[in-house]
Amino acid sequence: MGYPVVHFEIGCRDNQKTRAFYCDLFGWTAEPGEMSTELTTGAGGGINGMLTTLGHEPHNYTNIYVSVDDIDAVAQKAESLGGTILIPRTEIPGGKGEFAWIADPEGTTIGLYRSPE
């Protein structure tokens, strides 16, 4: 299996204002949800993403997510290579899979994603 980038996330303080900015700028469509806003880029060959308002630091960030078969194994491998597990494997509400955040040895954050079975 390859490890494609499958999703992106943009953190913000004001979801409505940020949503309007990106939708107006790029013509994206948005579907607001309870905790986040799903973004559809309409690119055909691109990836879709989301806006997230965490309510705590980090407020403003951009993260990409890499598809993996086993989040725990990849996170442990990252640690063995000098990285850090920032958020351990976590279920996404609604049966949408699982995610984790790791940091590389320099502290750059990247997401891991496993789709639902």
Side-chain angles (χ1 to χ4, degrees), residues 11-84:
C12 61
R13 291 180 193 261
D14 185 331
N15 197 292
Q16 186 174 9
K17 181 179 177 182
T18 306
R19 177 174 63 239
F21 174 82
Y22 284 105
C23 288
D24 289 347
L25 180 64
F26 296 123
W28 293 349
T29 58
E31 183 65 37
E34 186 176 320
M35 296 174 54
S36 62
T37 296
E38 298 288 330
L39 296 172
T40 302
T41 63
I47 59 174
N48 294 318
M50 68 187 330
L51 297 175
T52 304
T53 307
L54 298 175
H56 56 76
E57 291 291 342
H59 293 290
N60 305 98
Y61 63 91
T62 303
N63 200 358
I64 62 166
Y65 287 80
V66 176
S67 178
V68 299
D69 287 332
D70 186 335
I71 288 176
D72 292 330
V74 174
Q76 289 170 3
K77 184 174 181 180
E79 279 190 315
S80 76
L81 296 170
T84 306

